[in-house]
Amino acid sequence: MDSFALYCLAAEIRPAETLRVLGLIERRLAGNPADPEARLYKGALLARLGLEMGDPGQARRFLGAGIGIMRAMPPADPSRPVAHLRMLYARGTTQVLLPVPPMTLPEVDQGIARILDHPGFGRLHGPRRAVVLGMRAHLLKQQGQDRTAARIWRAATRIENRISGFPDAPPQIIL
């Protein structure tokens, strides 16, 4: 299983497996400490784990470590566009959950725009495409672009009829 599949397993399918997946990613990093993809997924999972911690001190440590790794995401490598797209997806979908985001709103906006314009975007699985579009709609709503946000939200909900977490009508808090 590649690093992205491991990340998705822990983040999207089985959050209870996060510690085990972190161990597997650590083993990959032991073999190749410079692997930017594995490092970013480690950061995203540490940050997500920090959100689940009951102890405030532990939560701060996990969030701090995860956000630090995510902030250090390397620039795009033109020879590995799909890997870069997957990294942008992992950072973006984790970013929206965090109380202290690793990116500013303009950086998130640019990152989502890069995902949407990315030549590999069509290869993202349906629910992941919907998540990216939903994030874009949320940002547009925050910027006061209600009509465009609602149109993009509708596109996100149509990707796979009904996706868990994407109601037919967007919640008023989001849109």
Side-chain angles (χ1 to χ4, degrees):
M1 197 179 280
D2 73 7
S3 297
F4 183 65
L6 286 171
Y7 164 78
C8 291
L9 172 71
E12 300 172 0
I13 301 166
R14 291 191 200 144
E17 299 286 328
T18 300
L19 287 175
R20 189 170 76 82
V21 168
L22 275 169
L24 294 171
I25 288 175
E26 280 294 341
R27 273 192 239 140
R28 296 217 169 144
L29 286 169
N32 180 7
D35 180 351
E37 209 174 345
R39 286 183 58 72
L40 178 80
Y41 302 145
K42 174 185 173 182
L45 290 174
L46 285 172
R48 285 171 179 261
L49 205 53
L51 293 172
E52 303 299 319
M53 294 285 165
D55 178 286
Q58 276 190 321
R60 273 194 303 280
R61 281 194 296 280
F62 275 88
L63 281 167
I67 289 170
I69 291 170
M70 289 170 62
R71 279 191 176 132
M73 183 176 143
D77 179 350
S79 69
R80 301 187 65 220
V82 174
H84 188 252
L85 172 66
R86 297 185 321 181
M87 290 166 68
L88 284 171
Y89 173 81
R91 186 170 74 167
T93 54
T94 301
Q95 157 89 21
V96 297
L97 302 173
L98 301 176
V100 181
M103 297 182 285
T104 64
L105 277 179
E107 288 172 328
V108 175
D109 197 31
Q110 290 168 4
I112 291 171
R114 285 199 313 244
I115 293 172
L116 294 171
D117 293 339
H118 199 285
F121 180 64
R123 291 195 230 172
L124 273 183
H125 187 262
R128 292 194 188 111
R129 289 172 60 104
V131 167
V132 172
L133 291 172
M135 289 171 16
R136 179 76 179 135
H138 181 70
L139 282 172
L140 288 169
K141 176 64 178 174
Q142 288 179 328
Q143 296 166 2
Q145 298 180 38
D146 295 2
R147 279 193 152 153
T148 306
R151 182 177 49 78
I152 290 174
W153 185 271
R154 284 191 298 276
T157 61
R158 280 193 308 264
I159 287 175
E160 282 191 5
N161 295 337
R162 286 187 71 132
I163 294 171
S164 175
F166 280 86
D168 286 335
Q172 290 305 309
I173 294 171
I174 296 174
L175 291 177

